[in-house]
Amino acid sequence: MQMTGEPQLYVGIDIGTSGCKASVIDAAAYVVAEGHAGYRSYHPQPGWVEQHPADWVAAAFAACDDVFGSLTVTQRATVAAISFSAPTHVAVLVGGDGVPVRPAIMWNDQRSATQAEELRRTDGAHIAAVTDNAPTPTWTLAQLRWLAENEPGAIDATQQLWFMKDWVRSHFSATAPFCTDRVDAQGALLLDVHTHEWDPTLVARAGLPMSAMPEVREPTSVTGALAPELAARWGLESVSVTVGTTDTAAELLAAGLAGHGDTAIKIATAGNVAVVADSRPTDKRVLCYEHVVPGVFYWNSATSAAAASLRWLGESMLVAEGPVDFAEIDRKVAQTPPGADGLLFTPYLNGERSPRFDPALRATFAGISARHSWPHFARAVMEGVAFSLRDAAGLYSAPLPPAVALIGGGARSAVWPRIVADVLDRDVSVLSECDSSVGAALVAAVGAGGLPTLIDAAHVARGRASRTVKPDPDQRELYGSRFEDYLSLAETTAQISHRLGRS
């Protein structure tokens, strides 16, 4: 039994694209402790991105070692529930022996462009009607079609299709039901979003039997208790495990964004423009997912390499070895004039999603001169990501609201929020304590009964702005003109990107 008289604590574990973060929160959504662990991606060929599921599990355990090690004995005794989040579109194909048959293809992998195009031609109308989305290389269905054509043995060996967060969750419970949540399920492009049941036609197109698909549950569904050996390892008592949800859905919950029109700009590995809505979009170029709050949706347009672009610059060009000093990058970028002295960057390091949907695009620096030094390149990368987000926001039929929330790792930068505010010409609220891991912990709190409903959880979390950045009117003309240059650069370099990508 848990100790009485002490407030309960809840744990969220986010298995991200570059590492794992665990957060412990109280019922008021304040972070009590955090833990981290990293892992790497693998790129066997250009445009390919894979990870090993065993690395996620090891990192999740290490992050928990970190976070629980920082709690007192009394605090550990009050931990009531744990839940999980991760990027959607990441499938783990598991064989009859319970072991993944191959590394996981990540959401930003671009190898299945041909298969996505074929699906649009042959099944586009059915996919749109059933899933409310259109196939691109991001979606699991296109990836599975690629495997069926290029690695048929992997498809033949698959007995179960798990998703990223669920595979990690299965290692935390003594009994791990084969299930996922309704939001993550939609990322496969195999789910009938109107019935929350797997569509037999699309599952067959993926080359899998219906028996390979997990049960679909609510994010707050309790799947069992924490495995006894893990409870003993971390000094915990009675801890329930809940299904969890996708990373962006968890972040929106942690930011308290659950009302129609609420908008978040996310700068993480990828970048998103996420708009909460009370209906589905009619434009199938706009990705649509259900919110964790039942009956609510969020529309999503996305750029593939946001913070990943700055990390690439730091790791590939600014340091020979060791960690990148992002605080130093911030300091130098702040001292560099807006517009980076005429240097411009398109962040297409691994193709692009919204609104170009072109996996063959490649990144470009334009305007390089002898006067440019590395801070100019860093500022150009930050501005280029902001331009790409403005480009992605152009998919929406209505303009963005006057104020938006900024979430993701980029929100911790001292200078990036200013750039986003100026490029978008919007007030930017920089939110604190709204990581995916916090959202997952809120899901755990609702699942355990610590909060009544998910909408209550959103209300508890809402309004955590650490600061608000208003656009500088003196930069409106500069960034308006530079955005037009960005669009021209993206258009004029597309064909040569394709040619260079084939070389």
Side-chain angles (χ1 to χ4, degrees):
M1 296 292 291
Q2 293 175 337
M3 296 177 63
T4 59
E6 296 288 339
Q8 290 188 333
L9 300 177
Y10 308 95
V11 183
I13 298 175
D14 177 61
I15 308 95
T17 304
S18 59
C20 178
K21 181 176 182 180
S23 293
V24 179
I25 67 167
D26 61 20
Y30 285 101
V31 175
V32 175
E34 295 178 340
H36 306 81
Y39 38 80
R40 60 170 295 190
S41 295
Y42 298 87
H43 306 272
Q45 294 190 36
W48 293 23
V49 188
E50 297 184 347
Q51 289 184 1
H52 295 297
D55 293 346
W56 308 333
V57 177
F61 287 166
C64 287
D65 289 341
D66 188 8
V67 74
F68 293 131
S70 67
L71 298 181
T72 66
V73 172
T74 300
Q75 287 175 318
R76 289 198 295 272
T78 62
V79 173
I82 189 169
S83 193
F84 301 81
S85 65
T88 189
H89 315 294
V90 182
V92 182
L93 306 182
V94 177
D97 57 358
V99 176
V101 303
R102 71 176 317 283
I105 298 175
M106 298 300 291
W107 59 268
N108 50 349
D109 187 286
Q110 297 294 310
R111 76 185 72 180
S112 58
T114 299
Q115 288 72 29
E117 179 59 35
E118 178 199 9
L119 287 166
R120 282 194 292 271
R121 287 197 314 271
T122 60
D123 300 86
H126 179 71
I127 291 172
V130 169
T131 72
D132 269 331
N133 285 289
T136 72
T138 295
W139 299 89
T140 307
L141 173 57
Q143 299 164 3
L144 294 173
R145 287 299 309 153
W146 185 92
L147 288 171
E149 295 175 17
N150 295 275
E151 297 181 18
I155 295 293
D156 293 342
T158 298
Q159 297 295 307
Q160 293 182 327
L161 187 153
W162 291 75
F163 295 102
M164 189 173 185
K165 74 171 192 317
D166 304 307
W167 180 249
V168 175
R169 173 177 49 78
S170 73
H171 290 76
F172 276 71
S173 300
T175 57
F178 181 39
C179 65
T180 192
D181 76 295
R182 56 180 167 78
V183 187
D184 213 353
Q186 292 174 58
L189 212 67
L190 299 170
L191 188 79
D192 186 328
V193 297
H194 309 290
T195 65
H196 292 164
E197 296 179 353
W198 300 108
D199 181 76
T201 299
L202 297 180
V203 173
R205 289 289 280 141
L208 297 174
M210 290 291 286
S211 60
M213 305 308 297
E215 177 189 359
V216 179
R217 296 189 179 186
E218 283 296 309
T220 54
S221 173
V222 175
T223 64
L226 184 67
E229 64 272 18
L230 295 179
R233 173 173 172 170
W234 296 319
L236 307 179
E237 296 186 5
S238 178
V239 179
S240 63
V241 177
T242 59
V243 174
T245 193
T246 66
D247 54 358
T248 301
E251 283 173 313
L252 292 174
L253 179 66
L257 303 180
H260 181 75
D262 287 348
T263 299
I265 305 296
K266 177 180 177 180
I267 300 179
T269 298
N272 294 322
V273 182
V275 179
V276 179
D278 55 14
S279 63
R280 301 180 187 275
T282 56
D283 188 340
K284 299 308 178 186
R285 296 175 301 166
V286 176
L287 306 184
C288 179
Y289 306 88
E290 292 183 9
H291 199 288
V292 288
V293 175
V296 181
F297 307 89
Y298 70 92
W299 303 359
N300 200 35
S301 57
T303 185
S304 291
S309 293
L310 191 62
R311 188 182 310 115
W312 161 80
L313 182 76
E315 293 176 349
S316 301
M317 300 178 66
L318 302 186
V319 296
E321 57 184 28
V324 178
D325 187 345
F326 289 105
E328 176 64 12
I329 291 176
D330 262 2
R331 286 191 291 271
K332 292 294 188 181
V333 168
Q335 298 167 11
T336 304
D341 280 337
L343 189 61
L344 190 60
F345 175 70
T346 59
Y348 309 147
L349 293 173
N350 199 37
E352 184 55 302
R353 293 195 283 173
S354 310
R356 303 185 178 279
F357 303 105
D358 188 346
L361 285 181
R362 292 296 176 261
T364 302
F365 280 107
I368 302 172
S369 73
R371 73 180 183 276
H372 289 128
S373 58
W374 74 258
H376 292 96
F377 283 86
R379 183 166 190 110
V381 166
M382 287 183 167
E383 291 178 345
V385 168
F387 290 137
S388 71
L389 289 166
R390 180 171 169 176
D391 197 18
L395 277 182
Y396 299 126
S397 56
L400 296 181
V404 299
L406 185 64
I407 60 177
R412 291 190 284 272
S413 164
V415 68
W416 223 336
R418 157 60 56 202
I419 291 172
V420 171
D422 288 345
V423 168
L424 296 183
D425 197 23
R426 297 291 188 276
D427 288 358
V428 170
S429 296
V430 184
L431 302 186
S432 60
E433 299 185 346
C434 64
D435 290 338
S436 303
S437 54
V438 174
L442 285 168
V443 170
V446 175
L451 290 169
T453 67
L454 287 165
I455 195 66
D456 291 304
H459 289 159
V460 165
R462 190 173 180 86
R464 295 287 181 80
S466 60
R467 59 192 174 107
T468 298
V469 182
K470 292 185 175 294
D472 183 348
D474 292 338
Q475 304 304 331
R476 186 174 292 121
E477 182 177 354
L478 168 67
Y479 278 125
S481 174
R482 192 54 50 84
F483 179 60
E484 294 302 319
D485 292 337
Y486 172 90
L487 297 177
S488 295
L489 180 62
E491 293 292 337
T492 56
T493 58
Q495 289 189 0
I496 194 169
S497 285
H498 293 182
R499 291 198 298 271
L500 291 173
R502 292 193 295 267
S503 62

